């Protein structure tokens, strides 16, 4: 596929911001990217790719069409704190990738 004049590498136009959420509550980490072709968005928490409903339909984390990450409810236990951490979103297309600022999600 030839590089088309109007194609451009992704850029993040809305970055996620730090959140403090109560256990069991819903939460959204915003991310909006533009690019042509439309970039795919993936989320990483503490450097690991975040599994969303696209990977596992039973996941409590949903990747919204905008690229934002929506938590149906924040999961937080004494032993496991799967949602707490530092998140970035990464937008990619064939011309490159863009990484958002870090956003921390803390459970109140």
């Amino acid at each position: 596929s030839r590089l088309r004049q109007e194609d451009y590498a992704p850029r993040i136009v809305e970055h996620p911001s730090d959140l403090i959420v109560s256990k069991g509550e819903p939460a959204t980490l915003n991310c909006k990217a533009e690019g042509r072709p439309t970039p795919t968005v993936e989320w990483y928490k503490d450097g690991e790719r975040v599994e969303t409903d696209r990977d596992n339909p039973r996941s409590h984390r949903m990747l919204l069409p905008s690229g934002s990450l929506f938590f149906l409810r924040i999961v937080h236990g004494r032993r496991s704190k799967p949602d707490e951490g530092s998140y970035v979103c990464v937008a990619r297309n064939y011309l490159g990738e863009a990484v958002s600022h870090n956003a921390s999600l803390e459970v109140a």
Side-chain angles (χ1 to χ4, degrees), residues 33-102:
E34 50 186 40
R36 187 174 296 159
T38 303
T40 59
V41 170
E42 285 185 331
W43 282 86
Y44 291 83
K45 172 186 161 265
D46 303 327
E48 300 274 308
R49 199 170 88 78
V50 172
E51 187 181 75
T52 66
D53 62 320
R54 300 206 178 166
D55 313 299
N56 171 2
R58 296 213 311 274
S59 174
H60 69 290
R61 301 184 194 102
M62 298 170 67
L63 188 59
L64 301 180
S66 65
S68 296
L69 183 63
F70 176 68
F71 300 81
L72 292 168
R73 62 191 177 284
I74 293 298
V75 175
H76 195 77
R78 213 166 293 161
R79 289 201 191 81
S80 97
K81 303 176 170 55
D83 293 332
E84 198 166 67
S86 177
Y87 289 81
V88 293
C89 80
V90 180
R92 293 188 181 90
N93 68 17
Y94 78 98
L95 286 167
E97 65 173 46
V99 181
S100 74
H101 303 154
N102 277 332

Side-chain angles (χ1 to χ4, degrees), residues 2-54:
R2 249 178 28 253
L3 173 57
R4 293 211 309 279
Q5 221 90 51
E6 59 275 17
D7 285 0
Y8 60 95
R11 62 172 177 255
I12 307 284
V13 290
E14 187 181 341
H15 292 268
S17 44
D18 296 350
L19 289 180
I20 298 177
V21 194
S22 300
K23 181 177 126 178
E25 291 295 305
T28 306
L29 285 167
N30 290 321
C31 181
K32 202 173 270 165
E34 50 186 40
R36 187 174 296 159
T38 303
T40 59
V41 170
E42 285 185 331
W43 282 86
Y44 291 83
K45 172 186 161 265
D46 303 327
E48 300 274 308
R49 199 170 88 78
V50 172
E51 187 181 75
T52 66
D53 62 320
R54 300 206 178 166

